[in-house]
C-alpha cells in the first residue's frame, strides 16, 4: 500500500488495489480513444506531394481523356464535357457555389481555423430526383430530400477552370490558414478535381485534401484519385435497392457505395491524427439516419464492421429534417389542359373538408428523425464491433 509515516506508524492513503483499478480503467479508456497510439502521426506529408513527375503526367492525361468521354461516375453519360453537359448538368468547367473557411464539419476536420470548403454545384445522385419531361429532353430537377440541395442540386454559383480552382485552394491555405481543402460533392467532376490538385501542388499547396462524397463513385474514379486524396469522407446513405431507387433515383446505389468505400479504405486506411487532434489521412464515414429507415442503417454499420474495418471512424448523424419536395402536396402528372384536350370530363368541385388529409410527396420521410432511431443505429454499430465514433461529449462539444 501507499502511505506516509506519522509518529512511527504508516497511515494508509488508499489501498494498492484501488491504484490498480484506477490504472486499469484509465488504460481501458485510453485504448478506446480515437486518438489511441496506433492512430497518431508525428508528422504528415500530403500524398500528392509524393507523386513523381511521370505519375502526375499520367493522371493529367487520364483526366483529359475522361472529360472527352464522360464515363467515370456510375451514370456513364459518355458525353464530351467540352461540348455538352452530363446528367450532373456540369461541363468542362466546374460551378462553385461557395469557397470559404468552414466550421460545420467534424471537429477533427475543421479544427481551430476551419477547413477550406469548396461547395460544388451539381451532383450525380438524384436525392432531389430528375425527370426528362421538358422540351428538348432537358432534365427538370425534382428535389426529394437533399439536406444541401440549394448548393449541390442547383446550378447556382460561378464557373471556374481547374487552374482557377487551384488558385483558390492556395488562397484558402495562405490567407485563411485552413487545415485542409474540403471538396464537397465532387463525384461528378473528378477529372477537374485531379487537374486542380496537380496544379495547386505546383503553386505551393501543402495541406491535405478531403474528398467529401455521397459514395456514388465508380472504382475508376477512386483509382484516378489515388495519390491525390488524403481523407475520404463518404456518406453511406441507404441499403435497400427499392429505397435508393425511390429516394436517390439509383437502384444500384448500395452496391456502388460498397465497392467505392472499400477502394477508399484500401488507399488510406483508418483515420489518423496528429497530436493536435486534426485528422490527416484515412476514412471518416458518415451515415445520415433517415426517419423510419433505421433498419437500413443497422445493415450499413454491420456491413462496415464486417467488410471494411472495426477501427473505422464513423459519424452516425442525426440532423435529417424534411427538405425540398419531402412533404410538399402532390401534383397531378397531367395538367388540366391536357385532360381537356383528351376529352376527359372535369370533376365537380367537392365541398372543402378541413379534416381531409392532403396527399403529400414522400410522406414516409416527412418528419425529423427521432433520437431513438439514431440511438438504435448507434447501438447496432457498437454491437457489430465499431467503436471509433464522432460523438458529442458531455460538455456539448465533440470529442475524438
Amino acid at each position: 500500500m501507499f502511505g506516509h509515516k506519522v509518529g512511527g506508524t504508516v497511515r494508509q492513503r488508499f489501498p494498492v488495489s484501488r491504484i490498480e483499478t484506477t490504472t486499469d480503467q484509465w488504460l481501458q479508456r485510453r485504448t478506446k480513444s480515437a486518438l489511441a497510439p496506433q492512430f497518431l502521426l508525428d508528422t504528415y506529408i500530403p500524398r500528392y506531394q509524393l507523386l513523381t513527375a511521370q505519375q502526375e503526367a499520367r493522371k493529367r492525361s487520364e483526366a483529359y481523356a475522361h472529360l472527352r468521354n464522360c464515363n467515370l461516375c456510375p451514370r456513364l453519360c459518355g458525353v464530351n464535357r467540352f461540348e455538352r453537359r452530363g446528367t450532373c448538368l456540369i461541363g468542362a468547367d466546374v460551378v462553385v457555389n461557395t469557397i470559404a473557411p468552414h466550421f460545420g464539419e467534424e471537429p477533427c476536420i475543421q479544427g481551430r481555423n476551419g477547413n477550406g470548403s469548396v461547395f460544388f454545384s451539381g451532383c450525380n445522385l438524384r436525392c432531389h430526383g430528375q425527370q426528362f419531361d421538358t422540351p428538348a429532353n432537358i432534365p427538370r430537377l425534382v428535389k426529394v430530400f437533399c439536406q444541401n440541395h440549394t448548393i449541390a442540386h442547383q446550378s447556382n454559383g460561378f464557373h471556374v477552370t481547374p487552374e482557377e480552382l487551384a488558385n483558390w485552394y492556395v488562397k484558402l491555405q495562405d490567407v485563411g490558414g485552413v487545415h485542409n481543402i474540403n471538396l464537397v460533392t465532387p463525384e461528378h467532376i473528378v477529372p477537374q478535381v485531379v487537374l486542380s490538385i496537380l496544379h495547386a501542388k505546383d503553386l505551393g499547396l501543402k495541406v491535405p485534401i478531403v474528398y467529401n462524397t455521397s459514395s456514388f463513385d465508380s472504382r475508376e474514379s477512386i483509382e484516378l484519385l489515388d495519390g491525390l486524396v488524403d481523407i475520404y469522407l463518404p456518406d453511406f446513405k441507404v441499403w435497400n435497392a427499392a429505397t435508393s431507387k425511390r429516394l436517390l433515383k439509383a437502384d444500384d446505389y448500395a452496391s456502388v457505395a460498397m465497392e467505392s468505400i472499400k477502394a477508399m479504405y484500401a488507399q488510406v486506411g483508418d483515420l489518423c491524427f496528429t497530436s493536435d487532434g486534426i485528422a490527416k489521412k484515412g476514412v471518416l464515414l458518415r451515415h445520415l439516419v433517415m426517419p423510419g429507415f433505421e433498419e437500413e442503417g443497422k445493415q450499413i454499420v454491420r456491413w462496415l464492421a464486417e467488410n471494411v474495418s472495426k477501427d473505422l471512424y464513423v459519424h452516425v448523424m442525426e440532423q435529417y429534417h424534411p427538405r425540398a419536395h419531402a412533404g410538399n402536396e402532390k401534383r397531378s402528372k397531367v395538367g388540366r389542359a391536357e385532360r381537356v384536350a383528351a376529352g376527359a370530363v372535369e370533376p365537380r368541385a367537392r365541398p372543402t373538408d378541413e379534416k381531409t388529409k392532403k396527399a403529400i410527396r414522400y410522406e414516409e420521410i416527412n418528419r425529423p428523425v427521432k433520437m431513438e432511431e439514431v440511438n438504435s443505429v448507434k447501438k447496432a454499430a457498437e454491437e457489430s464491433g465499431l467503436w471509433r465514433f464522432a460523438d458529442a461529449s458531455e460538455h456539448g462539444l465533440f470529442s475524438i
Side-chain angles (χ1 to χ4, degrees):
M1 66 180 69
F2 289 84
H4 62 282
K5 189 172 183 180
V6 179
T9 62
V10 176
R11 297 261 180 105
Q12 179 179 327
R13 290 181 177 176
F14 39 81
V16 174
S17 60
R18 183 178 172 187
I19 292 287
E20 293 172 346
T21 302
T22 304
T23 303
D24 290 343
Q25 291 174 346
W26 183 87
L27 288 174
Q28 185 177 14
R29 288 198 301 270
R30 189 70 184 94
T31 303
K32 286 296 184 181
S33 168
L35 281 176
Q38 64 267 37
F39 307 117
L40 279 175
L41 304 169
D42 292 329
T43 58
Y44 183 72
I45 300 174
R47 299 177 75 215
Y48 59 85
Q49 288 287 346
L50 305 177
L51 292 175
T52 65
Q54 291 80 3
Q55 290 172 324
E56 291 182 23
R58 187 181 303 114
K59 287 189 178 295
R60 283 194 176 93
S61 177
E62 292 176 359
Y64 283 118
H66 284 299
L67 280 175
R68 288 189 291 270
N69 178 20
C70 190
N71 58 4
L72 267 188
C73 100
R75 295 292 181 183
L76 297 174
C77 295
V79 301
N80 185 338
R81 298 280 284 271
F82 293 102
E83 300 174 354
R84 294 178 56 196
R85 298 182 298 172
T87 302
C88 61
L89 306 182
I90 305 299
D93 290 348
V94 300
V95 182
V96 177
N97 186 281
T98 305
I99 301 178
H102 181 53
F103 295 87
E105 307 289 17
E106 289 80 359
C108 61
I109 298 293
Q110 70 180 35
R112 180 180 295 273
N113 299 330
N115 60 86
S117 285
V118 183
F119 289 90
F120 295 107
S121 294
C123 183
N124 66 348
L125 266 186
R126 297 278 77 86
C127 303
H128 61 301
Q130 177 170 296
Q131 295 179 358
F132 291 90
D133 59 358
T134 55
N137 204 36
I138 297 173
R140 177 170 65 88
L141 301 182
V142 184
K143 303 168 190 67
V144 176
F145 73 90
C146 179
Q147 304 294 281
N148 206 26
H149 73 278
T150 56
I151 294 176
H153 299 311
Q154 297 179 6
S155 297
N156 297 331
F158 53 97
H159 290 253
V160 294
T161 65
E163 292 73 24
E164 291 169 333
L165 191 58
N167 279 285
W168 279 106
Y169 298 165
V170 176
K171 287 180 183 178
L172 286 168
Q173 171 188 269
D174 295 346
V175 180
V178 298
H179 299 286
N180 50 65
I181 302 300
N182 179 21
L183 308 175
V184 185
T185 322
E187 305 93 302
H188 57 298
I189 52 167
V190 168
Q192 297 96 317
V193 163
V194 168
L195 295 171
S196 67
I197 296 172
L198 292 173
H199 189 64
K201 175 188 175 182
D202 295 338
L203 297 178
L205 188 69
K206 297 178 181 178
V207 295
I209 299 292
V210 180
Y211 186 80
N212 192 336
T213 171
S214 69
S215 299
F216 199 55
D217 296 279
S218 69
R219 192 175 187 89
E220 292 76 15
S221 283
I222 305 305
E223 288 175 356
L224 184 57
L225 291 166
D226 192 8
L228 297 172
V229 172
D230 302 282
I231 298 172
Y232 284 102
L233 190 55
D235 177 13
F236 201 148
K237 297 179 180 293
V238 294
W239 181 259
N240 293 333
T243 305
S244 61
K245 183 176 182 179
R246 172 166 168 75
L247 299 182
L248 313 183
K249 311 309 175 190
D251 51 2
D252 61 341
Y253 169 78
S255 60
V256 170
M258 286 188 284
E259 185 177 11
S260 63
I261 289 169
K262 286 194 291 187
M264 295 174 196
Y265 183 83
Q267 288 183 17
V268 296
D270 293 307
L271 195 66
C272 295
F273 309 80
T274 44
S275 58
D276 55 3
I278 303 300
K280 298 296 183 181
K281 68 175 286 289
V283 175
L284 193 168
L285 189 131
R286 292 169 167 171
H287 171 63
L288 177 66
V289 181
M290 300 280 290
F293 291 94
E294 67 270 23
E295 291 302 320
E296 297 196 28
K298 294 177 183 179
Q299 293 271 32
I300 288 171
V301 295
R302 289 169 186 150
W303 179 87
L304 292 169
E306 294 171 3
N307 296 275
V308 182
S309 171
K310 286 184 170 58
D311 294 329
L312 188 67
Y313 197 94
V314 177
H315 187 184
V316 179
M317 305 173 74
E318 62 189 54
Q319 68 258 40
Y320 173 85
H321 60 282
R323 295 288 301 271
H325 278 295
N328 286 0
E329 185 178 354
K330 286 184 177 179
R331 295 177 298 180
S332 173
K333 292 183 180 180
V334 182
R336 182 178 184 276
E338 287 82 356
R339 291 197 300 268
V340 172
V345 177
E346 286 294 295
R348 296 171 61 185
R350 290 186 178 183
T352 303
D353 183 0
E354 294 181 357
K355 296 182 180 181
T356 301
K357 184 179 180 180
K358 293 182 178 180
I360 60 175
R361 309 180 70 181
Y362 304 100
E363 185 174 5
E364 70 271 29
I365 57 173
N366 185 36
R367 64 172 175 83
V369 69
K370 299 177 181 178
M371 282 309 301
E372 306 92 87
E373 296 169 317
V374 176
N375 291 336
S376 68
V377 175
K378 176 71 178 299
K379 183 179 179 182
E382 292 172 340
E383 291 174 347
S384 68
L386 296 173
W387 62 278
R388 302 179 74 207
F389 297 102
D391 283 335
S393 63
E394 293 180 357
H395 52 71
L397 300 176
F398 274 77
S399 59
I400 53 174

